[in-house]
Amino acid sequence: MIIVTGANGKLGRAVVEQLLKRVPAEEIGVSVRDPNQSQELRERGVRVRRGDYDDAESLHHAFEGASQVLIVSSSIMGEADIPHGIQQHQTAIDTAKRAGVTRVLYTSHIGSSPTSHFAPMIHHAATEKLLKASGMTFTSLRNGYYAASALLLIGGAIKTGELIAPEDGPVAWTAHSDLAEAAAAIISEQKLDGITPNLTGSEAIDMKGIASIASEVLGRTIRRIVVSDEEFRDRMMAQGVPEASINMRMGMFLASRQGDFAQVDPVLADLIGRPPKSFREVLKESISQQQV
């Protein structure tokens, strides 16, 4: 049996949908904090059990009979909560081993590094170290930076016509749907042991490039305005953004300046059998959905 954790979230649910195209529903289970939100999956034949990263016994029950478990990274990614998030992953890995799971997969990131300016990357690097130390067969999915995050960054710019942010660097923005399809292929076909090559979109784009693409898609100018780190912080604070969130955003910009998210690799395209969605396609889809 294949178990997917966090299946009520965007990526976890998308992976389950892709797995359902490849394997019988009775061979798929989900581990979720609120089973009531997965009723539709249960009706389709997927095994639904409660599993919480802070409750090892619930995970043990959720992982019962599993041969493979996909650990979707914890939603606790803020700087102050990194130790907690890593402990959650440690609990999931230890419990999978105790439950007799033969292969663990984990949703990591192309920027995974213990010295990254972007706090979640430290989190991913620590989890990959735990996977190596577990003695189990594992696959760490080095996912490209989610294109959905770029959509959040330019949300205000679409309204104001100005994309205001500090200096940045190119990022290989990657669609959730493509990563979910790749994960399902890797799981069902038992591909790519260890740390995977980078699973990314086919191009790396900086904020200036995003503003240019948004201008073309919208048919009006979105100006890219570079401000100092200090001014960006002041702007965020004036808007009432919590300090932890400001630190996260600044960390992302600092890491991108160093090229941490710029690596482009053809492996994702090979796994899904077609070119990954471009940022332009992702933006067009988002705008069309908002207009419905």
Side-chain angles (χ1 to χ4, degrees):
M1 175 168 276
I2 299 165
I3 303 297
V4 177
T5 71
N8 287 336
K10 185 172 183 177
L11 182 59
R13 181 56 178 266
V15 172
V16 174
E17 292 295 341
Q18 289 295 331
L19 283 171
L20 283 166
K21 298 177 182 179
R22 293 170 171 268
V23 298
E26 58 267 23
E27 295 179 14
I28 303 171
V30 297
S31 170
V32 292
R33 282 181 294 181
D34 183 359
N36 292 326
Q37 293 183 23
S38 298
Q39 182 60 32
E40 191 260 345
L41 287 178
R42 181 182 281 116
E43 291 171 354
R44 292 164 67 186
V46 174
R47 190 180 84 180
V48 177
R49 291 186 177 178
R50 178 182 173 274
D52 188 323
Y53 289 157
D54 290 319
D55 181 354
E57 289 311 308
S58 72
L59 288 180
H60 193 265
H61 179 61
F63 294 171
E64 181 184 10
S67 58
Q68 298 187 79
V69 170
L70 172 64
I71 298 174
V72 175
S73 59
S74 170
S75 59
I76 298 175
M77 300 295 271
E79 190 169 356
D81 287 320
I82 277 186
H84 185 192
I86 294 171
Q87 181 56 56
Q88 288 183 323
H89 292 167
Q90 176 78 77
T91 299
I93 293 167
D94 290 347
T95 304
K97 188 171 185 176
R98 182 161 63 97
V101 173
T102 55
R103 183 192 189 200
V104 172
L105 301 99
Y106 170 70
T107 57
S108 186
H109 198 282
I110 64 170
S112 174
S113 167
T115 59
S116 177
H117 287 291
F118 189 42
M121 301 305 101
I122 302 170
H123 179 117
H124 290 308
T127 302
E128 288 181 339
K129 188 175 180 180
L130 294 174
L131 287 166
K132 291 176 183 177
S134 73
M136 287 188 291
T137 298
F138 76 91
T139 300
S140 185
L141 307 169
R142 283 279 181 95
N143 288 340
Y145 210 113
Y146 297 144
S149 298
L151 297 178
L152 292 174
L153 288 170
I154 67 168
I158 290 175
K159 296 177 182 177
T160 65
E162 296 181 335
L163 177 51
I164 303 172
E167 179 187 350
D168 69 304
V171 175
W173 304 107
T174 313
H176 272 82
S177 57
D178 288 342
L179 292 169
E181 191 173 340
I186 290 168
I187 294 167
S188 62
E189 298 173 25
Q190 305 266 341
K191 292 182 174 181
L192 299 178
D193 286 338
I195 295 174
T196 68
N198 296 325
L199 306 175
T200 73
S202 56
E203 57 185 342
I205 307 170
D206 60 12
M207 290 289 110
K208 182 179 180 180
I210 284 177
S212 177
I213 291 170
S215 298
E216 294 174 19
V217 171
L218 294 167
R220 54 186 169 84
T221 300
I222 303 294
R223 292 196 303 141
R224 166 66 168 114
I225 300 174
V226 179
V227 297
S228 68
D229 294 353
E230 293 73 20
E231 182 177 345
F232 183 73
R233 277 188 175 278
D234 291 343
R235 282 175 172 271
M236 293 296 98
M237 290 184 71
Q239 293 172 19
V241 178
E243 185 174 1
S245 296
I246 295 173
N247 289 339
M248 286 275 285
R249 293 189 198 185
M250 280 307 310
M252 180 270 173
F253 288 117
L254 288 168
S256 72
R257 286 178 204 169
Q258 295 188 342
D260 289 5
F261 314 127
Q263 305 91 342
V264 172
D265 197 291
V267 171
L268 177 60
D270 292 342
L271 285 167
I272 62 179
R274 57 175 171 76
K277 286 183 181 178
S278 66
F279 180 75
R280 185 186 304 274
E281 290 175 285
V282 173
L283 179 59
K284 283 183 176 179
E285 286 180 7
S286 175
I287 291 172
S288 65
Q289 289 170 3
Q290 293 173 20
Q291 292 174 341
V292 173

